[in-house]
Amino acid sequence: NLYKVGFTGIQIKRIIKIEVILYYITIFILPMVFIIISLFQALYYFAVTIDLIIAIVSFQAIMIIIACLITYYTYKKEVVLKGGLING
């Protein structure tokens, strides 16, 4: 528990924010490289259009952003409330 180690509520919230953002950046970038390479290969062979590529990449980004926000607020609520930092 970070509270017992000596971190303040503000420090814990900052750690949670950085942790969640870096985690979701990682799970966004890794599959996105594969998706973009695959889609541009398909574009090269006229199997897809630019509009479809933009739609697929946008959908992936929106889903990651929604998941990131849900995780951030849930995680922050759990850590702050369970750690005794209701107002911290």
Side-chain angles (χ1 to χ4, degrees):
N1 191 331
L2 295 175
Y3 181 68
K4 291 180 182 176
V5 175
F7 285 101
T8 65
I10 295 169
Q11 290 172 324
I12 292 172
K13 288 178 184 179
R14 190 176 321 136
I15 290 168
I16 291 170
K17 183 177 181 179
I18 292 169
E19 181 179 334
V20 170
I21 289 172
L22 289 177
Y23 175 75
Y24 278 98
I25 286 173
T26 303
I27 67 170
F28 175 74
I29 289 175
L30 292 177
M32 193 56 63
V33 171
F34 173 74
I35 291 170
I36 289 174
I37 289 171
S38 299
L39 289 174
F40 276 107
Q41 284 178 340
L43 178 67
Y44 180 75
Y45 293 109
F46 304 107
V48 296
T49 63
I50 293 288
D51 295 336
L52 182 61
I53 292 174
I54 292 170
I56 291 172
V57 171
S58 298
F59 180 77
Q60 176 79 8
I62 289 169
M63 292 298 112
I64 292 292
I65 290 169
I66 290 170
C68 181
L69 292 174
I70 291 170
T71 302
Y72 173 69
Y73 288 112
T74 304
Y75 187 35
K76 185 172 80 168
K77 180 180 171 185
E78 286 294 315
V79 170
V80 171
L81 290 179
K82 301 258 184 200
L85 299 172
I86 295 173
N87 294 323

